[in-house]
């Protein structure tokens, strides 16, 4: 699709529904190519910067492997490797990077940084997560929903329960609204999306026919849902002191057997990962010592159940990221 060539993806609403659908189709086609050993390089000679001001497993791997599969070269900048904001303004940094790289993936805190990077670098910039948006995640999420649905996205109901004003929830809400889905958010009022994000979702819904429900009733949010999604209760960049308050606010929204049963359906479970579902993580063990909880946003039973498609969802980060790189960079 030529309209995507040379473009950045800074937030979900940068894409039209047609462009979003095209990226999902392209991702599925690239996935088939790779699986059948027919993949050919469309990005030979391209240089891609991977800039991470925050930690990452999936996003970094997806961009790196996708670029490599397509013949591009990547350079990784870990949190300690950049001068951004400290010794060098984003505007100066962007102008240097734009002289050397054909495209830049950026993960950081401020949405204004990824926006400045795009306006000053003159090359495509892909948001690999900011405090506000995680659009490359939403592409993988909706590809996974499509993979596990026998109906079009416009006939699918997805409920997200937990911290519903974080980057993942914002992107899911707006992408679902763009694609005409039935999207429900279950969260306490203090952790619901901002008026600005709601207004964006509402305006997209009025075009797409999406149904949006934002409620503090977790059972009502998931009733009739085909998919139940959650994310961590404290995001990167938020202090550990937040845990006590979040646990108190969000325990009623934990995805457990009872909440999955409240869908009244054979619903699938989604999570962007990483997830706190057992005591196999440092954070999980600390929380257990402090609060006596062995699981947080999702129980181990649900995480490991046959309803859970989280590792397919994680793999889809690769295929959707590759589609994004090919659509925006290939000649
Ligand atoms: N889901 C996701 O973005 O994972 P990483 O933080 O590991 O990149
Ligand atoms: N909301 C989480 C998503 C991680 C992929 C965070 O920002 O830490």
């Amino acid at each position: 699709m030529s309209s995507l060539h040379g473009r950045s993806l800074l937030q979900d609403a940068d894409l039209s529904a047609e462009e979003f659908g095209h990226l999902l189709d392209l991702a599925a086609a690239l996935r088939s190519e790779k699986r059948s050993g027919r993949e050919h390089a469309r990005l030979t000679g391209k240089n891609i910067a991977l800039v991470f001001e925050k930690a990452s497993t999936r996003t970094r791997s997806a961009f790196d492997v996708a670029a490599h599969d397509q013949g591009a070269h990547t350079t990784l900048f870990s949190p300690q490797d950049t001068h951004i904001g400290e010794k060098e303004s984003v505007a100066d940094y962007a102008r240097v990077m734009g002289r050397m790289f054909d495209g830049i993936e950026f993960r950081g805190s401020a949405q204004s940084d990824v926006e400045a990077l795009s306006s000053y670098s003159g090359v495509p910039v892909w948001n690999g997560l900011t405090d506000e948006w995680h659009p490359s995640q939403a592409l993988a999420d909706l590809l996974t929903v499509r993979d596990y649905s026998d109906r079009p996205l416009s006939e699918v109901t997805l409920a997200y329960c937990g911290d519903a004003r974080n980057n993942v929830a914002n992107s899911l809400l707006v992408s679902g609204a763009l694609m005409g889905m039935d999207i429900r958010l279950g969260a306490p009022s203090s952790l619901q999306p901002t008026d600005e994000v709601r207004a964006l979702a509402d305006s997209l819904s009025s075009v797409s026919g999406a149904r949006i429900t934002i409620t503090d009733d977790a059972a009502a949010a998931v009733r009739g849902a085909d998919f139940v999604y959650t994310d961590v209760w404290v995001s990167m960049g938020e202090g550990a002191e937040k845990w006590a308050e979040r646990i108190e606010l969000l325990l009623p929204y934990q995805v457990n057997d009872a909440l999955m049963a409240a869908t009244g359906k054979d619903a699938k479970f989604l999570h962007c990962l990483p997830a706190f579902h057992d005591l196999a993580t440092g954070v999980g063990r600390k929380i257990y010592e402090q609060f006596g909880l062995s699981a947080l946003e999702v129980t181990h039973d649900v995480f490991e159940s046959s309803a859970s498609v989280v590792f397919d969802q994680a793999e889809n980060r690769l295929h959707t990221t590759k589609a994004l790189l090919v659509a925006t960079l290939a000649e």
Side-chain angles (χ1 to χ4, degrees):
M1 182 180 264
S2 58
S3 68
L4 284 166
H5 184 76
R7 294 248 306 271
S8 290
L9 178 62
L10 307 181
Q11 60 171 289
D12 310 75
D14 289 347
L15 297 171
S16 66
E18 193 193 1
E19 289 164 348
F20 200 112
H22 168 74
L23 287 173
L24 299 188
D25 291 342
L26 181 58
L30 290 165
R31 181 173 61 190
S32 302
E33 264 190 25
K34 182 172 167 108
R35 286 182 178 166
S36 60
R38 289 180 293 114
E39 182 159 5
H40 66 276
R42 298 157 176 87
L43 299 176
T44 307
K46 300 289 184 191
N47 287 294
I48 293 174
L50 306 179
V51 184
F52 284 88
E53 290 186 338
K54 292 178 176 178
S56 168
T57 299
R58 280 143 291 270
T59 307
R60 174 182 167 182
S61 309
F63 274 91
D64 207 19
V65 174
H68 183 262
D69 281 349
Q70 285 293 315
H73 181 265
T74 55
T75 305
L76 174 71
F77 299 88
S78 300
Q80 65 276 12
D81 293 336
T82 79
H83 295 304
I84 310 177
E86 285 305 311
K87 276 180 67 182
E88 196 164 34
S89 68
V90 181
D92 292 356
Y93 179 80
R95 283 175 286 182
V96 174
M97 297 294 274
R99 297 288 181 109
M100 301 199 194
F101 291 98
D102 300 294
I104 304 165
E105 178 281 345
F106 176 79
R107 167 173 287 198
S109 300
Q111 181 67 18
S112 57
D113 282 351
V114 78
E115 285 166 3
L117 200 49
S118 171
S119 25
Y120 286 98
S121 67
V123 297
V125 171
W126 309 286
N127 180 347
L129 179 148
T130 60
D131 291 346
E132 283 176 58
W133 303 106
H134 197 1
S136 69
Q137 178 69 51
L139 284 167
D141 298 341
L142 296 201
L143 179 62
T144 313
V145 167
R146 239 177 51 165
D147 290 344
Y148 280 95
S149 305
D150 48 14
R151 284 165 286 130
L153 289 176
S154 58
E155 292 172 28
V156 173
T157 301
L158 186 153
Y160 174 102
C161 286
D163 177 2
R165 38 98 267 175
N166 74 13
N167 38 26
V168 168
N170 285 344
S171 280
L172 205 53
L173 173 64
V174 166
S175 293
L178 182 70
M179 300 309 282
M181 296 175 69
D182 184 337
I183 295 282
R184 288 91 170 277
L185 301 182
S189 57
S190 60
L191 294 173
Q192 292 179 358
T194 62
D195 290 345
E196 203 182 348
V197 170
R198 284 175 197 238
L200 177 57
D202 287 343
S203 76
L204 293 167
S205 304
S206 65
V207 176
S208 68
R211 283 81 61 215
I212 307 266
T213 308
I214 300 173
T215 172
D216 62 4
D217 182 340
V222 302
R223 196 168 301 130
D226 304 296
F227 293 85
V228 177
Y229 195 131
T230 191
D231 182 16
V232 291
W233 290 346
V234 175
S235 285
M236 290 183 280
E238 295 188 306
E241 76 282 356
K242 290 271 181 219
W243 276 111
E245 171 203 310
R246 294 286 165 81
I247 286 170
E248 196 182 336
L249 281 169
L250 289 172
L251 256 186
Y253 301 85
Q254 182 189 60
V255 181
N256 49 34
D257 286 334
L259 197 70
M260 291 301 285
T263 61
K265 283 199 163 175
D266 197 10
K268 296 289 183 204
F269 171 69
L270 296 165
H271 194 308
C272 56
L273 306 182
F276 296 124
H277 58 93
D278 61 13
L279 301 181
T281 66
V283 172
R285 285 189 292 273
K286 267 190 213 142
I287 298 286
Y288 179 72
E289 279 160 25
Q290 215 180 330
F291 303 97
L293 294 169
S294 58
L296 295 169
E297 73 275 8
V298 55
T299 58
H300 192 60
D301 283 352
V302 169
F303 188 87
E304 294 293 351
S305 70
S306 57
S308 175
V309 295
V310 298
F311 295 108
D312 292 326
Q313 184 185 2
E315 182 191 327
N316 278 337
R317 294 296 308 281
L318 168 63
H319 309 301
T320 45
T321 297
K322 190 180 289 176
L324 185 60
L325 296 182
V326 167
T328 55
L329 269 195
E331 298 308 329

